[in-house]
Amino acid sequence: MYFAALLARTEDGWKASDTELDDVETLSDLADLAREASPEEDTVLVLIEQEDAWFGVVRVDGEDDPRIYVSDAVAAARSAYGELLLTDELLGREPGSDGPDLDALDLDGTEDGESEAEDEDDEDGPSADAVGHGPVGDSEILDDLGVSEKELRALDAEDALGSIAEALGASEVLETVR
């Protein structure tokens, strides 16, 4: 189960609309959909959450390239909607290549040079599930709108979209499309 909404900034505040992503096949399609929501070329945010496992924010400002933030790359990679956001550039791989895959990314904050013995010890501990999970993308995507990088990274996927909307002053309009 997923939820996706468009938040378009207008002169009168934020305008929300529910959106279906079934016909969206590429990030370019998603950016075009966002641009259609704001004929004045204002800021549009595409907010996506899936089963309280991950959330994503795509920001489109006029004709600029979309900016993307995904809260958990590994969880998002298991979703067709997440795969839409996880571009080669976002994952740090050559366009058109199949690798490196998400397991090869250093998303857990460990330093180079840790021995495999240390890694094996971690597999038995409670943090084993966290290895490889982590945010990717532009964590400063909402800084100028009132959500700092630190606040964005601290959001729990379960209530992230509501928290973002509240910080933007758009919680009521988002709730109308939920």
Side-chain angles (χ1 to χ4, degrees), residues 25 27 54 76-87 91 93:
E25 295 180 12
L27 180 59
W54 66 275
R78 296 183 191 121
S79 157
Y81 304 112
E83 287 179 353
L84 180 74
L85 304 180
L86 298 173
T87 63
L91 297 175
R93 60 186 182 203

Side-chain angles (χ1 to χ4, degrees), residues 13-149:
W14 291 96
K15 180 179 88 174
S17 56
D18 190 13
T19 188
E20 284 293 322
L21 299 179
D22 293 340
D23 295 330
V24 175
E25 295 180 12
T26 66
L27 180 59
S28 180
D29 292 344
L30 185 61
D32 290 343
L33 181 69
R35 287 183 186 104
E36 290 172 13
S38 178
E40 300 297 318
E41 295 190 8
D42 289 322
T43 299
V44 178
L45 301 176
V46 181
L47 304 175
I48 303 170
E49 69 181 1
Q50 182 139 19
E51 299 174 353
D52 298 331
W54 66 275
F55 70 93
V57 178
V58 178
R59 179 176 177 161
V60 178
D61 293 300
E63 291 300 317
D64 292 347
D65 287 340
R67 296 167 59 192
I68 306 165
Y69 176 82
V70 176
S71 67
D72 187 329
V74 172
R78 296 183 191 121
S79 157
Y81 304 112
E83 287 179 353
L84 180 74
L85 304 180
L86 298 173
T87 63
D88 290 336
E89 181 181 345
L90 192 69
L91 297 175
R93 60 186 182 203
E94 291 294 320
S97 72
D98 290 332
D101 64 2
L102 289 175
D103 295 330
L105 287 176
D106 180 19
L107 298 176
D108 63 354
T110 58
E111 298 297 323
D112 290 339
E114 287 187 353
S115 71
E116 287 190 27
E118 289 173 51
D119 291 341
E120 289 171 12
D121 291 341
D122 287 345
E123 290 177 358
D124 297 330
S127 65
D129 291 339
V131 175
H133 292 257
V136 295
D138 183 354
S139 56
E140 297 176 353
I141 192 170
L142 301 173
D143 272 359
D144 64 324
L145 299 175
V147 181
S148 72
E149 174 181 3

